[in-house]
Amino acid sequence: DAGVIQSPRHEVTEMGQEVTLRCKPISGHNSLFWYRQTMMRGLELLIYFNNNVPIDDSGMPEDRFSAKMPNASFSTLKIQPSEPRDSAVYFCASSHSDRGSNQPQHFGDGTRLSIL
Amino acid sequence: GQNIDQPTEMTATEGAIVQINCTYQTSGFNGLFWYQQHAGEAPTFLSYNVLDGLEEKGRFSSFLSRSKGYSYLLLKELQMKDSASYLCAVRPLWDYKLSFGAGTTVTVRA
């Protein structure tokens, strides 16, 4: 079975440019999570969706970040304008979630983002 | 929110046993997860505990005490490939998200 698929795997761009990260969750999973990982701050949850609806975006650093999930098989995380401090590895994860269940989250390979 | 603590680094010898402790403070709790992350790779799921006690999966075991807000991951018969970061994560009650600890980097030496 295909796992969580993220693209691109690597992105290098200049500050001020728009960056779009893409994620395809595992088929049948109804929750999708966007994380950012840095040495300083570890793995941080940015936003998560359940049944395509954003549930908690309290981790989104500021208005420059936005995320969408137009359907069950696709999500985007956009940074506009990008800044050097946004450089990090961005992971997407998905799981099958319902109240009381403990299905694990499965992570994609991540996007390594460098803003120059 | 959750306050999750785990040691930063541990070193052990090939064939030995290592125990990684995790303590947490949370207003509501619905499960504790352990993930393994090799350098430059994504986290991968290892185990989860909901009830008190020990869960065993081959060379890896995880223990939970809900009353003490404490868990540990036990790695037995260490192999070089076990060198990785191990992340403890807590799921709040009636929520789908996980809060991750900073991770424990385990180095296995020959």
Side-chain angles (χ1 to χ4, degrees):
Chain A
D1 288 341
V4 176
I5 300 172
Q6 291 187 245
S7 64
R9 292 292 308 276
H10 303 270
E11 175 94 11
V12 181
T13 192
E14 293 185 346
M15 66 177 293
Q17 298 298 306
E18 178 178 292
V19 173
T20 300
L21 310 181
R22 298 173 175 79
C23 177
K24 176 179 170 57
I26 293 172
S27 178
H29 283 187
N30 62 342
S31 289
L32 184 141
F33 307 81
W34 282 102
Y35 291 89
R36 177 172 68 177
Q37 187 172 39
T38 61
M39 290 293 292
M40 291 296 294
R41 301 175 67 91
L43 193 60
E44 305 174 278
L45 178 68
L46 299 177
I47 185 172
Y48 81 93
F49 297 83
N50 183 249
N51 295 322
N52 310 339
V53 176
I55 302 299
D56 185 344
D57 66 354
S58 60
M60 296 285 263
E62 48 198 273
D63 292 346
R64 297 185 297 107
F65 286 68
S66 62
K68 294 182 179 179
M69 191 165 187
N71 57 62
S73 59
F74 184 66
S75 176
T76 59
L77 178 68
K78 190 170 292 188
I79 309 172
Q80 167 63 20
S82 58
E83 297 182 4
R85 60 190 167 128
D86 302 330
S87 298
V89 180
Y90 290 81
F91 287 107
C92 176
S94 71
S95 70
H96 180 76
S97 301
D98 57 60
R99 298 291 188 186
S101 78
N102 275 304
Q103 296 300 312
Q105 295 179 19
H106 297 270
F107 284 75
D109 289 334
T111 296
R112 281 148 186 81
L113 178 64
S114 295
I115 308 297
L116 306 177
Chain B
Q2 287 74 41
N3 196 4
I4 303 169
D5 289 315
Q6 50 181 131
T8 304
E9 294 180 331
M10 302 183 76
T11 301
T13 305
E14 198 174 12
I17 298 173
V18 69
Q19 178 175 314
I20 306 168
N21 297 324
C22 172
T23 59
Y24 62 89
Q25 295 174 323
T26 179
S27 54
F29 175 85
N30 196 25
L32 188 140
F33 294 75
W34 284 97
Y35 281 79
Q36 179 191 58
Q37 186 176 22
H38 285 101
E41 298 183 9
T44 56
F45 168 72
L46 285 179
S47 70
Y48 82 84
N49 296 71
V50 177
L51 301 176
D52 286 359
L54 189 68
E55 294 282 342
E56 295 188 82
K57 271 188 181 183
R59 295 189 299 112
F60 293 3
S61 303
S62 57
F63 171 84
L64 175 67
S65 169
R66 296 174 66 125
S67 62
K68 295 181 179 178
Y70 167 70
S71 173
Y72 67 72
L73 180 69
L74 196 68
L75 315 180
K76 294 178 278 190
E77 301 170 17
L78 279 173
Q79 302 175 9
M80 300 299 287
K81 66 178 182 179
D82 297 330
S83 293
S85 179
Y86 292 85
L87 302 163
C88 171
V90 172
R91 182 184 169 193
L93 195 62
W94 298 117
D95 203 341
Y96 305 125
K97 65 185 181 184
L98 294 178
S99 293
F100 282 85
T104 300
T105 300
V106 172
T107 302
V108 181
R109 293 184 175 165

